[in-house]
Amino acid sequence: MGPMIEIRGLTRRFGARTAVDGLTFTARPGQVTGFLGPNGAGKSTTLRVLLGLDRADGGTALIDGRPYTELRRPATAVGAQLDGGGAHPARTARAHLGWIARANGLPASRVGEVLEGVGLGGAARARVRTFSLGMGRRLDLAAALLGDPGVLVMDEPVNGLDPEGIRWVRSFTRALADEGRTVLLSSHFMGEIARIADHLVVIDGGRLVAEGRPDEVAAGHASLEDAFFALTGRPGGADTGFGRWPGGSGAARGGGER
Amino acid sequence: MIDTVRAEAFKLRTLTSVLFTCLATAALTVGLAWLSGWSVGRALTDNPGLLVGEVVPEQSGFDAISYGQAGMVVLGVLAVGTEYTGGQIRASLLAVPHRPRLLLAKAAAVAAAALAVALATVPAAFAATQVGLGEHGYPLTGMLDRPVLGALAGAVAYWVLLALLAAGITVVLRNTVVPLVLLISLVLALSFYLSMLTGLADLLPDRAGAQMFLRGGPNRTDLSAIGGGAVMAAWVAGVWAVAVPLFARRAA
């Protein structure tokens, strides 16, 4: 029923480095698709190309059969939450959503509705610079939901959140998928995403290394985490793998990935 | 397109720094205009020997415009520069993925804001100078005389073009400090000094554009009002002709 996200042979190079290398996968309606890989695996680059912020050197990234850049009122089709927000710190939450609503021809009344929906109703008139990390994420999600889109794309939504925030993201994304929407969320936290996602896409070095239901991806391994370490060629707990591929402690604050 | 322009205009008016720039530009320019009129008027009455050259009241009415133009540079730079604060440019491109459309809407919003400020400030500054000049001032009813009205319209056009020039350069440089320093030093002093070195300086955007309202004085050049305006407009068009394809191509 809902629209699909289709990545076909996507390639993106930065100089001599190939960030995304012939990547192919599909995110379907009614499912939460977890897009997993260590930092630098090419997740953010893939999402940035999908959302028209960067161009592809080869292949296609389509939403409901069309590239994002051809969408007329994109907020009504795709909601995106990217690492690094996108709200000017001196603007109020309401004003931030206000211009996005205007740009997409949405009624101003939607702003109040989505702010209430993400639990920011009381902070509508507060400036974005006063927001905590968790509030900033909620604002980004409110921006993504403004046009009631059928597709939701979220880059590292649980990164840096406390357990309460992670639980909130989990229940929220679950509810959105259960409404028939297509939800694609990236993460380098395989543990958390495995509990949210119906479908997993695992990449490393810009290439697909596994795709399927969590139990399918974990098949043949002691646990899903073991499966990830094996698939991405990073021995769990060993010196090289531990810091870059945080499964427990030592979780470096990500976000600088491009 | 109209939705995008509305969104860009909303972006401008919900930023305190932009509002402050517009209000401060109007208030300071009009205040300065009155003060310069008043001091020249005092000198004319008490000690005319202090004044260099002849005082032409309808020309003095534009002196403060030359200082207030710095506000238009700040407006243009802020309108674009704030896109690069807090990663707003990504949200902008997500909302309007068609990049030329986003940029043209931004230009339209900047032009509209500059026009509003200029329409309020330029005639008020001219009038304030004449009021300050007192008995030496040009009669305010004379503002509707063709030459004066033409110069007032020229000054308004100059402010709008300057804000657009600043915005376009900021798109190219993706930085606020460099275009601010570059343009403010150019419009307030540099182009005048360069004009002493070479006649080519008369083709600089600010010096050429100022011919739209200057009728005499050291910054009057050989270009006509129309010719000067055309040179400045060509600069603006040239900068945007670089800015739009550059912005369309690069990753955000």
Side-chain angles (χ1 to χ4, degrees):
Chain A
M1 51 171 282
M4 285 201 296
I5 296 173
E6 290 170 292
I7 310 287
R8 294 284 172 270
L10 193 72
T11 299
R12 178 70 175 114
R13 295 183 199 92
F14 297 107
R17 192 172 75 84
T18 303
V20 181
D21 194 356
L23 183 63
T24 296
F25 72 87
T26 304
R28 292 189 168 75
Q31 290 190 339
V32 175
T33 300
F35 187 32
L36 294 162
N39 284 335
K43 303 185 301 295
S44 289
T45 301
T46 301
L47 297 186
R48 287 163 47 77
V49 171
L50 175 67
L51 298 169
L53 297 176
D54 200 350
R55 62 184 173 78
D57 290 306
T60 55
L62 303 177
I63 295 162
D64 203 12
R66 295 164 71 191
Y68 187 89
T69 50
E70 283 180 14
L71 299 174
R72 192 78 186 102
R73 290 183 165 169
T76 60
V78 185
Q81 182 210 42
L82 288 176
D83 208 20
H88 191 286
R91 233 187 281 280
T92 64
R94 222 166 50 146
H96 174 59
L97 297 185
W99 72 255
I100 298 175
R102 277 167 178 78
N104 282 281
L106 299 167
S109 59
R110 272 300 286 166
V111 171
E113 286 170 26
V114 291
L115 281 173
E116 289 292 336
V118 300
L120 282 180
R125 285 161 195 274
R127 296 198 189 277
V128 174
R129 73 159 64 90
T130 65
F131 280 18
S132 66
L133 183 70
M135 288 168 82
R137 287 288 163 75
R138 283 169 190 251
L139 179 63
D140 295 343
L141 191 56
L145 296 173
L146 203 55
D148 194 22
V151 174
L152 231 90
V153 178
M154 302 164 87
D155 195 11
E156 302 279 356
V158 299
N159 200 10
L161 291 187
D162 57 18
E164 171 61 27
I166 292 172
R167 206 169 70 131
W168 183 79
V169 169
R170 193 160 60 212
S171 61
F172 214 104
T173 48
R174 183 72 264 157
L176 291 167
D178 289 346
E179 288 167 11
R181 296 176 217 260
T182 307
V183 180
L184 175 66
L185 44 89
S186 82
S187 183
H188 60 269
F189 285 94
M190 66 293 222
E192 284 306 330
I193 294 305
R195 294 169 67 187
I196 303 177
D198 309 294
H199 186 79
L200 297 179
V201 173
V202 188
I203 69 168
D204 189 28
R207 293 181 190 191
L208 185 77
V209 293
E211 183 177 10
R213 290 195 314 271
D215 59 303
E216 290 171 347
V217 172
H221 300 276
S223 71
L224 199 53
E225 287 194 0
D226 285 345
F228 284 121
F229 288 126
L231 289 164
T232 59
R234 286 167 174 74
D239 50 358
T240 52
F242 202 63
R244 292 188 57 197
W245 192 206
S249 62
R253 273 212 60 198
E257 182 194 353
R258 287 185 58 110
Chain B
M1 185 71 197
I2 200 74
D3 282 341
T4 317
V5 176
R6 280 180 66 222
E8 289 302 319
F10 186 81
K11 267 185 193 170
L12 288 183
R13 68 169 199 268
T14 51
L15 275 182
T16 316
S17 55
V18 171
L19 282 182
F20 177 80
T21 300
C22 292
L23 292 175
T25 301
L28 289 176
T29 305
V30 175
L32 210 61
W34 178 82
L35 199 64
S36 73
W38 176 80
S39 66
V40 171
R42 280 282 299 272
L44 282 171
T45 302
D46 300 343
N47 195 350
L50 279 178
L51 293 165
V52 181
E54 191 192 354
V55 173
V56 182
E58 61 268 43
Q59 263 310 297
S60 308
F62 292 96
D63 289 351
I65 305 296
S66 302
Y67 295 103
Q69 63 177 323
M72 292 299 97
V73 172
V74 176
L75 171 64
V77 169
L78 276 183
V80 174
T82 49
E83 287 287 343
Y84 295 96
T85 308
Q88 185 185 286
I89 187 66
R90 287 194 295 275
S92 295
L93 286 171
L94 287 177
V96 185
H98 193 277
R99 297 183 180 202
R101 183 150 63 96
L102 176 65
L103 216 47
L104 292 180
K106 174 76 82 188
V110 169
L115 183 67
V117 177
L119 281 176
T121 309
V122 169
F126 183 91
T129 304
Q130 309 313 328
V131 169
L133 279 165
E135 57 179 308
H136 306 287
Y138 194 76
L140 291 184
T141 49
M143 284 173 73
L144 294 174
D145 293 350
R146 252 195 95 157
V148 174
L149 197 61
L152 289 170
V156 169
Y158 175 84
W159 272 30
V160 172
L161 286 173
L162 186 61
L164 284 173
L165 184 73
I169 290 176
T170 311
V171 172
V172 174
L173 297 178
R174 267 190 290 192
N175 175 296
T176 50
V177 178
V178 177
L180 266 185
V181 171
L182 189 81
L183 281 168
I184 289 187
S185 59
L186 185 78
V187 300
L188 292 186
L190 199 60
S191 63
F192 174 71
Y193 292 117
L194 286 173
S195 74
M196 296 182 185
L197 294 174
T198 166
L200 286 174
D202 291 352
L203 295 174
L204 285 169
D206 60 320
R207 213 168 153 73
Q211 307 312 313
M212 288 189 283
F213 59 90
L214 292 179
R215 296 292 178 265
N219 289 318
R220 182 76 185 94
T221 70
D222 294 338
L223 284 171
S224 67
I226 301 285
V231 169
M232 188 180 195
W235 274 93
V236 173
V239 165
W240 282 87
V242 173
V244 173
L246 195 64
F247 183 73
R249 269 187 41 215
R250 67 186 165 206

